[in-house]
Structures are given as C-alpha cells and as structure tokens.
C-alpha cells in the first residue's frame, strides 16, 4: 500500500514563482497547498520589485520628457516633482496589484496555509505552531532578500536599501549609489532625474558586468550626459558619519572618499533559504542558493526550487516559467527541462537594455557572426528624438540561425520580443528579411543588422 500524504504537492512561498507553481499543479489535478510565512501576500515583484520601481520610473521619465519638450517646439514646459504624490501613486497601484493577487491566491484551487515551515524530513514540514504537513513533493519558492555585507561603519550611516528608496518622499541633494546592477542603475537614474546629484560606485570595470561591454559603454555615456557621475573599479572600505555620510574606497591603489546626504545600498540579493532546515535533509546549497538541475529538482529528488531561491536568474518571468515547469515535473513525476535558448533580460533605464539568447561574451572561443545598427541612423528614432543606442544580432555562420540579440535604446524591452519569437522558432536572419516591417517604426531597425549578416553569409 502506498504511503498517504496530506498533499501531492506543497509549494512554499506565494510570490510569482509560487503562485505559478501552485496554479499549475492544481490544474493538473494534484492535491496542492501553498504555505506562506510573510505578513504581506503577493511576493517581491508586486510589493517591492518590478511594479513599484517601474511606477516610480514612469514619473521620473515623464518629468525628463517634459523638460526636453523645447527640442520639439514646446515652450514653457519645466515640471516640478512632488515626491509625496509620486510615492502615493505608487502605493495605490501596488495595493491594487497586491489585492488582486491575494484574491487569486485565496480563491485558487489549492489550500492556503499561513506559517513558517521547517523540514523534518524530505516529505514533512512543521509550522511554528506545531502543525505538521506532509507531501509527496515540495516546491520551494521563497525568493530572495537583500544581501548585506559587513563593511566597517555601514551600520552607523543609516543607508537606505531599495525597499526604503521606493517609499522615500524627500529628495536627497546628493546621493551615493553602491552597485551598478539593474536596481542600482534604475533607482540612481530615478533620483537623478528628480534632481539629486548622483554618483554610482561600482566594483567591476563596467556597468552591468554580466552584459556585453558595448552595452555598458553606451549606457555609461548616456548616464554621464545626464550628469550622473560613474566611478568603476571601486573597492569599498568603510563608512562614517560626519556632517554628511562618507564612503571610503580604493580606486586602484589610491584611497578616495565621497560624502553624500544619502547612500543607496544596492549590492544585490541572496536566496531566502534561512530557517527551512534544508541541510539536515540533504538539500545541497551553493552559498544560500538551492542547487537544481534543468528540471528544477534539487539533490533530494522530490524537492524542487524555482525563482530567485535557486540563484540562477533574478527575473520574474523566468521565475514563473520555472515554477510552472517544477509543478509539471512534481505533479506528473516528469523530467521536462528548462529551455534557456530564449533567455531574456531587461533593464529599465533610459536608454533601456534588453537581451535574448546568447551574447558575444558567452560565445567567446566559438564561431559566430554579429552585426549592429545605431538608432542615430534610424528614421523613427530621429523623429521622436531617441537616438542613443543600437540593436545587435548574433548568428551562427553556416545558415545565419539567430543565436542572440541585444538592444539598447528606446522601448528596448518591447522591441526584443520580435527576436524572442524568432529565436524560439529557430529562425535565421533570412527569415527576418522575408518578414514585413512597417515604416516608420522602431521595430523595422532589426532588418538592418539582419541584412548585414545575410550579406556576409552570401559573400562566402
């Protein structure tokens, strides 16, 4: 007789990955439950990530556009930011998003259980009130938390993290931003466009160190044109508070210091696995991340992990894909693998950055053909006054199959979707040239690098 469990699948965490996993498992007929320990329901993306940050960026970008209206013959437009109203709008919209998600969770075809779980064995968790819950499979979707580094004096300067930045209603005159990842860059530009004097301090030699170098160079040039100061190759040493907050750092072998009214701490996040009791049941961790294979299985076969908690990609649409995949494998005892061919990333600065598939950096040592085309030579971009940046296509030499694409420029996060579809379908640059592209549009720019690569292939 098979052992009976309370549930077929228990999902720990109700954020984007967890909700996707629970909905998918329940849809497959599995007896499913979600356990949530956090006070607020909805997850990082809705509460403290994608939605609130992009709401704030919409305000600062609108202000920037108003102040550039003179270029388009619009006189007398200046605009004045009211941070209290900007933050109030953000809170209203986030509350609407969160309320809708909470309703989805509470009315889903799965049980919703409040409590902080800890594994007793591979099939059982206990909650702090003593209740025990058993399941055939578990999917861990507990997300991530801010990674605080023990720099000397950091605790004395009362720096703000990204959560605090999203709710700040007073504009700092000067702001030092620690880190140059997407969160640091987006919030740094937000405060700069509202009126703060912003300095970015970055450990690596270029912004967005995981991206191709030409994207970094272009973004840095755009930031510096806006008056944002960028200092790379920095080693943070210590912090102290005098009349202002002071950052001491090394640039090469030279000691330097920077004072600011406020410090934004944006040095990344770590998977939120503390207190789950994973090590005692044999789940392997890399630092705090749950190590998984392409099926989202951990080292314990009935325990899966999806989203930020597995440390692979801190991106919400990937978290959702992984949650759905883990649920199909857990509920159906399958071994479906995650497809990374069309892996997509975006940064919502202006200019925006978006990438899909392979990069030149990841293909180092392999044969590929690449071509790029600037927005400064593109009709629609010139008309709307958005000429910074370029698009780039990376293809394999024999047939011109598209391996990857990158865009830095206006609406890059939307423009990349043409390339996502083409890569997903295994298309070539010749397919791009067969497709109609309406004129004048931003999207037609993709035909330019495709034509160049097609020419190189045909000439061989």
């Amino acid at each position: 007789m098979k052992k009976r469990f309370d549930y077929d699948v228990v999902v720990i965490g109700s954020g984007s990955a967890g909700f996707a996993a629970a909905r998918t498992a329940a849809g497959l007929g599995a007896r499913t439950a979600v356990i949530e320990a956090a006070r607020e329901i909805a997850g990082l993306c809705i509460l403290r990530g994608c939605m609130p940050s992009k709401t704030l960026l919409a305000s600062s970008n609108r202000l920037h556009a108003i102040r550039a209206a003179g270029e388009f013959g619009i006189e007398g437009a200046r605009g004045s930011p009211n941070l209290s109203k900007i933050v109030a709008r953000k809170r209203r919209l986030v509350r609407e998003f969160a309320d809708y998600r909470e309703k989805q969770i509470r009315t889903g075809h799965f049980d919703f259980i409040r409590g902080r779980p800890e594994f007793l064995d591979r099939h059982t968790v206990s909650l702090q009130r003593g209740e025990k819950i058993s399941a055939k499979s578990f999917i861990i979707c507990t997300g991530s938390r801010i990674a605080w580094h023990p720099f000397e004096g950091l605790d004395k300067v009362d720096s703000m993290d990204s959560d605090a930045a999203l709710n700040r209603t007073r504009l700092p005159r000067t702001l030092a931003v620690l880190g140059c990842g997407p969160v640091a860059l987006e919030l740094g530009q937000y405060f700069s466009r509202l009126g703060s004097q912003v300095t970015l301090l970055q450990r690596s030699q270029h912004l967005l160190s995981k991206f191709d170098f030409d994207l970094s160079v272009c973004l840095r040039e755009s930031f510096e044109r806006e008056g944002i100061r960028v200092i790379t190759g920095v080693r943070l040493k210590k912090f102290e508070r005098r009349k202002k907050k002071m950052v001491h750092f090394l640039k090469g072998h030279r000691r330097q210091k920077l004072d600011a009214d406020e410090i934004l701490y944006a040095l990344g996040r770590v998977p939120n696995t503390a207190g789950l009791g994973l090590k005692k049941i044999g789940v392997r961790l890399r630092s705090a991340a749950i190590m998984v294979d392409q099926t989202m299985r951990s080292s314990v076969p009935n325990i899966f992990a999806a989203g930020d908690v597995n440390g692979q990609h801190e991106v919400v649409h990937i978290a959702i894909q992984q949650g759905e995949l883990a649920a199909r494998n857990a509920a159906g005892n399958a071994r479906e693998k995650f497809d990374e061919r069309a892996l997509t990333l975006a940064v919502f600065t202006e200019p925006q950055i978006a990438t899909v598939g392979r990069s030149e950096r990841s293909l180092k040592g392999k044969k590929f053909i690449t071509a790029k085309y600037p927005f400064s030579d593109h009709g629609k971009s010139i008309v709307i006054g958005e000429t910074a940046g370029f698009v780039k296509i990376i293809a394999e030499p024999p047939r011109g199959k598209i391996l990857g694409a990158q865009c830095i420029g206006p609406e890059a996060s939307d423009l990349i979707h043409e390339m996502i579809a083409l890569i997903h379908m295994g298309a070539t640059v010749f397919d791009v040239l067969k497709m109609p592209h309406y004129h004048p549009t931003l999207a037609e720019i993709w035909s330019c690098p495709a034509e160049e690569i097609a020419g190189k292939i045909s000439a061989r």
Side-chain angles (χ1 to χ4, degrees):
M1 184 178 295
K2 292 184 178 180
K3 182 178 179 181
R4 294 293 300 271
F5 300 107
D6 298 326
Y7 296 97
D8 299 314
V9 177
V10 166
V11 179
I12 300 177
S14 65
S16 297
F19 175 65
R23 182 174 57 182
T24 301
L28 292 171
R31 294 173 300 146
T32 306
V34 173
I35 302 176
E36 178 57 74
R39 181 177 58 86
E40 293 183 288
I41 301 171
L44 176 66
C45 174
I46 291 176
L47 296 172
R48 297 181 301 282
C50 312
M51 304 316 294
S53 65
K54 279 45 177 185
T55 303
L56 296 184
L57 291 176
S59 293
S60 63
N61 293 345
R62 187 68 58 91
L63 177 62
H64 184 73
I66 290 170
R67 290 176 172 174
E71 179 187 344
F72 299 88
I74 310 299
E75 298 180 349
R78 280 299 298 162
S80 179
N82 183 321
L83 261 70
S84 294
K85 290 185 176 181
I86 290 172
V87 171
R89 176 177 183 268
K90 183 268 302 181
R91 287 174 176 161
R92 174 174 56 82
L93 294 179
V94 167
R95 189 68 266 154
E96 291 173 1
F97 291 132
D99 287 347
Y100 180 69
R101 176 51 54 83
E102 182 170 350
K103 181 180 178 181
Q104 288 180 302
I105 291 170
R106 290 191 181 278
T107 59
H109 298 292
F110 47 80
D111 291 343
F112 183 63
I113 302 167
R114 301 306 301 263
R116 189 171 301 278
E118 180 179 354
F119 280 93
L120 299 177
D121 58 54
R122 57 183 288 186
H123 288 290
T124 313
V125 295
S126 67
L127 304 182
Q128 65 266 39
R129 57 180 177 265
E131 181 183 358
K132 295 180 181 179
I133 298 171
S134 64
K136 181 181 177 182
S137 298
F138 286 87
I139 306 174
I140 302 171
C141 305
T142 48
S144 61
R145 57 182 174 79
I146 292 169
W148 288 99
H149 299 276
F151 295 113
E152 180 184 345
L154 180 61
D155 58 336
K156 303 294 193 303
V157 297
D158 191 28
S159 62
M160 67 174 175
D161 58 21
S162 57
D163 292 353
L166 295 173
N167 291 297
R168 189 177 179 98
T169 56
R170 186 171 59 84
L171 188 68
R173 190 179 67 83
T174 55
L175 175 68
V177 180
L178 311 181
C180 284
V183 172
L185 297 178
E186 290 173 4
L187 290 177
Q189 189 176 45
Y190 163 74
F191 281 108
S192 174
R193 288 186 163 187
L194 294 182
S196 296
Q197 296 176 21
V198 173
T199 301
L200 300 173
L201 297 172
Q202 162 69 5
R203 182 176 62 182
S204 71
Q205 291 299 327
H206 62 278
L207 309 181
L208 298 169
S209 57
K210 294 181 180 179
F211 289 65
D212 278 348
F213 183 65
D214 52 0
L215 296 171
S216 168
V217 170
C218 183
L219 184 62
R220 179 170 183 164
E221 289 173 350
S222 294
F223 270 29
E224 290 178 337
R225 279 196 298 271
E226 286 192 21
I228 299 173
R229 185 184 179 197
V230 180
I231 306 176
T232 57
V234 163
R235 289 176 55 201
L236 299 172
K237 299 303 290 182
K238 69 174 184 177
F239 299 81
E240 62 178 335
R241 189 164 197 162
R242 296 184 181 178
K243 289 184 178 180
K244 292 188 175 184
K245 300 175 182 183
M246 189 167 291
V247 186
H248 294 262
F249 61 92
L250 288 177
K251 170 73 173 171
H253 296 291
R254 184 181 173 189
R255 291 184 175 273
Q256 297 188 37
K257 58 187 177 182
L258 172 71
D259 58 25
D261 295 312
E262 188 57 86
I263 295 171
L264 171 59
Y265 182 97
L267 293 174
R269 304 180 67 87
V270 292
N272 190 22
T273 53
L276 290 174
L278 297 175
K279 288 186 178 180
K280 68 184 179 185
I281 61 168
V283 174
R284 290 191 195 130
L285 305 177
R286 180 181 290 113
S287 296
I290 298 173
M291 297 174 65
V292 296
D293 61 16
Q294 289 179 297
T295 70
M296 299 301 118
R297 277 183 174 83
S298 73
S299 55
V300 178
N302 73 303
I303 296 178
F304 299 74
D308 289 6
V309 76
N310 66 32
Q312 293 184 344
H313 308 286
E314 295 179 357
V315 184
V316 69
H317 79 272
I318 295 176
I320 293 169
Q321 286 179 281
Q322 290 182 348
E324 292 170 343
L325 173 67
R328 291 193 293 272
N329 287 337
N333 196 30
R335 297 202 64 84
E336 181 184 342
K337 294 182 178 180
F338 185 73
D339 183 1
E340 292 201 352
R341 288 177 306 147
L343 187 67
T344 307
L345 302 171
V347 183
F348 290 86
T349 50
E350 283 196 344
Q352 291 183 7
I353 295 177
T355 71
V356 59
R358 303 297 297 273
S359 64
E360 291 187 76
R361 190 168 178 251
S362 70
L363 288 168
K364 190 174 182 180
K366 298 180 181 179
K367 291 183 178 181
F368 61 89
I369 304 174
T370 184
K372 59 185 179 182
Y373 196 84
F375 281 103
S376 60
D377 194 40
H378 183 59
K380 179 63 179 288
S381 308
I382 295 169
V383 167
I384 66 174
E386 300 286 348
T387 56
F390 57 85
V391 293
K392 177 168 62 175
I393 294 177
I394 302 166
E396 65 177 12
R399 297 187 302 111
K401 181 180 178 182
I402 302 171
L403 301 176
Q406 300 174 0
C407 178
I408 177 168
E411 305 302 335
S413 60
D414 288 310
L415 286 178
I416 202 67
H417 282 79
E418 178 174 324
M419 290 295 120
I420 294 173
L422 290 166
I423 290 174
H424 180 74
M425 299 301 294
T428 70
V429 292
F430 298 97
D431 293 317
V432 178
L433 298 179
K434 292 175 185 175
M435 292 168 51
H437 287 83
Y438 203 89
H439 174 79
T441 63
L442 291 173
E444 65 180 330
I445 195 173
W446 286 116
S447 61
C448 297
E451 185 175 22
E452 182 179 338
I453 293 174
K456 290 177 181 179
I457 292 172
S458 298
R460 292 189 172 196

